[in-house]
Amino acid sequence: EAEVAQSPRYKITEKSQAVAFWCDPISGHATLYWYRQILGQGPELLVQFQDESVVDDSQLPKDRFSAERLKGVDSTLKIQPAELGDSAMYLCASSRSGQYGDTQYFGPGTRLTVL
Amino acid sequence: GENVEQHPSTLSVQEGDSAVIKCTYSDSASNYFPWYKQELGKRPQLIIDIRSNVGEKKDQRIAVTLNKTAKHFSLHITETQPEDSAVYFCAALSRQNSGYALNFGKGTSLLVTP
């Protein structure tokens, strides 16, 4: 069964450094999501792509976060500079079309610790 | 925007008992409600979902009910087993900008003791 892949699984960095996370969605899935999950809370959407276009990035802190999906397949989420409050799990998810009720499949996440 | 409240935050039951987790939502336009199970250190996995044209859906030991008038939905797990121990998240799908976004509850940590 195909799964969403993410790397790295764990990342420790110092504040003010730059970090980048990578996501490879399930093959053929047009919609890709990046979520942030703070310990003890549910995932919160950061950005949504439909193919290579951003559909929603209203919750993305654009002064330090950026995301791209250049060829409409895999995606990179970057934080520069990282702050202590960015410590969280960053989850990527994909769905076939992004249509209403389309199932979202999650990757294993990247656990970020900012020291 | 959509706001999803989930209760309880922790739930401990004995093996074989039933467990019920409840969620409320605020956006009356929401009509897709998935439930995800997240085991420690693993990815969230969809276990069941319901659409607003259905009041109840069942899959073996798991069932979900939806009351659109009251804007609440619940997850029911019967004959619980230790492997049901995990964090469970409810979510509601709502229109957000050009797409549809899932808004999650804060999760319920379920512990099933043998």
Side-chain angles (χ1 to χ4, degrees):
Chain A
E1 182 177 299
E3 293 186 330
V4 177
Q6 287 187 250
S7 67
R9 294 292 309 277
Y10 304 92
K11 179 70 178 178
I12 300 174
T13 191
E14 294 186 345
K15 65 178 183 178
S16 79
Q17 296 299 303
V19 292
F21 314 131
W22 177 79
C23 172
D24 192 14
I26 293 172
S27 179
H29 279 197
T31 311
L32 185 147
Y33 314 80
W34 281 101
Y35 289 87
R36 177 169 58 187
Q37 185 177 24
I38 296 169
L39 195 63
Q41 297 188 20
E44 295 179 300
L45 182 68
L46 291 174
V47 61
Q48 178 181 345
F49 289 92
Q50 186 68 25
D51 299 309
E52 67 276 7
S53 300
V54 173
V55 170
D56 182 6
D57 63 357
S58 57
Q59 300 304 310
L60 189 70
K62 299 182 189 63
D63 56 335
R64 297 184 302 107
F65 286 64
S66 64
E68 60 183 17
R69 194 184 183 199
L70 293 176
K71 297 182 179 178
V73 181
D74 58 339
S75 175
T76 302
L77 178 70
K78 296 179 182 176
I79 308 175
Q80 183 174 16
E83 296 181 353
L84 295 177
D86 296 332
S87 294
M89 175 76 84
Y90 289 83
L91 291 162
C92 179
S94 70
S95 66
R96 189 173 301 279
S97 64
Q99 295 300 307
Y100 202 89
D102 207 14
T103 299
Q104 293 187 24
Y105 298 89
F106 282 85
T110 296
R111 166 97 38 210
L112 173 66
T113 302
V114 182
L115 303 175
Chain B
E2 175 68 276
N3 183 43
V4 178
E5 301 277 345
Q6 183 172 348
H7 300 281
S9 56
T10 60
L11 180 59
S12 182
V13 299
Q14 287 208 314
E15 183 176 1
D17 288 349
S18 295
V20 180
I21 302 170
K22 298 182 179 182
C23 290
T24 61
Y25 61 98
S26 60
D27 186 353
S28 56
S30 295
N31 56 14
Y32 173 67
F33 308 93
W35 286 87
Y36 284 84
K37 174 183 180 183
Q38 187 174 28
E39 296 177 65
L40 191 63
K42 296 191 176 180
R43 69 190 74 201
Q45 294 206 307
L46 180 73
I47 56 170
I48 196 167
D49 57 14
I50 191 167
R51 289 171 171 76
S52 64
N53 58 343
V54 175
E56 182 175 358
K57 184 177 178 181
K58 212 171 181 181
D59 182 4
Q60 299 182 349
R61 298 186 296 108
I62 295 173
V64 57
T65 58
L66 171 64
N67 183 328
K68 279 222 77 178
T69 303
K71 290 191 278 189
H72 67 70
F73 56 112
S74 301
L75 178 72
H76 304 252
I77 306 174
T78 57
E79 300 171 26
T80 54
Q81 301 166 4
E83 50 265 40
D84 294 329
S85 297
V87 179
Y88 292 80
F89 292 97
C90 63
L93 190 73
S94 63
R95 187 78 181 179
Q96 193 160 310
N97 293 308
S98 304
Y100 295 98
L102 277 179
N103 295 277
F104 286 84
K106 291 190 173 183
T108 296
S109 179
L110 173 65
L111 177 65
V112 181
T113 54

